[in-house]
Amino acid sequence: MKEIITPKYLTTEQYSKLSGLGVEEIKHQINIGKLEGTKTVGGHYKVIVRDDAVSKEMYEEVVRENAALKEKLKTINMASII
């Protein structure tokens, strides 16, 4: 049986502190569909955060590791051509 992940909602200010993004950028990202969120009847934005979300630091670490691995693969590929 598939696990149900219940979202929680953060204000744009709360999400801004966690993500490092500005409040207006967060609203823009929600409006264009790049960030999962909603706008309340009262006009307030809420960012949807699911239980499986990762921190900004963890995401950035994975990005750095991937970049390093890509460089290693390029080196290996170049060595195999020679």
Side-chain angles (χ1 to χ4, degrees), residues 64-82:
R64 283 191 294 276
E65 288 173 0
N66 284 345
L69 289 171
K70 284 181 182 179
E71 285 302 313
K72 287 180 183 179
L73 284 173
K74 283 181 188 177
T75 303
I76 292 169
N77 286 337
M78 292 301 287
S80 66
I81 293 173
I82 298 175

Side-chain angles (χ1 to χ4, degrees), residues 7 17 19 26 29 60 62 68 74:
K17 289 177 184 173
S19 68
I26 293 167
Q29 295 292 324
E60 289 172 346
V62 169
K74 283 181 188 177

Side-chain angles (χ1 to χ4, degrees), residues 46-62:
K46 299 292 181 182
V47 180
I48 298 171
V49 180
R50 302 197 182 274
D51 292 338
D52 60 348
V54 297
S55 69
K56 178 182 174 186
E57 291 79 17
M58 288 177 72
Y59 172 79
E60 289 172 346
E61 178 62 25
V62 169

Side-chain angles (χ1 to χ4, degrees), residues 17-53:
K17 289 177 184 173
L18 294 171
S19 68
L21 295 173
V23 171
E24 292 304 315
E25 178 63 20
I26 293 167
K27 291 176 184 178
H28 175 69
Q29 295 292 324
I30 291 171
N31 287 331
I32 64 172
K34 284 193 150 192
L35 184 61
E36 194 175 10
T38 188
K39 192 173 181 181
T40 67
V41 175
H44 299 281
Y45 286 83
K46 299 292 181 182
V47 180
I48 298 171
V49 180
R50 302 197 182 274
D51 292 338
D52 60 348

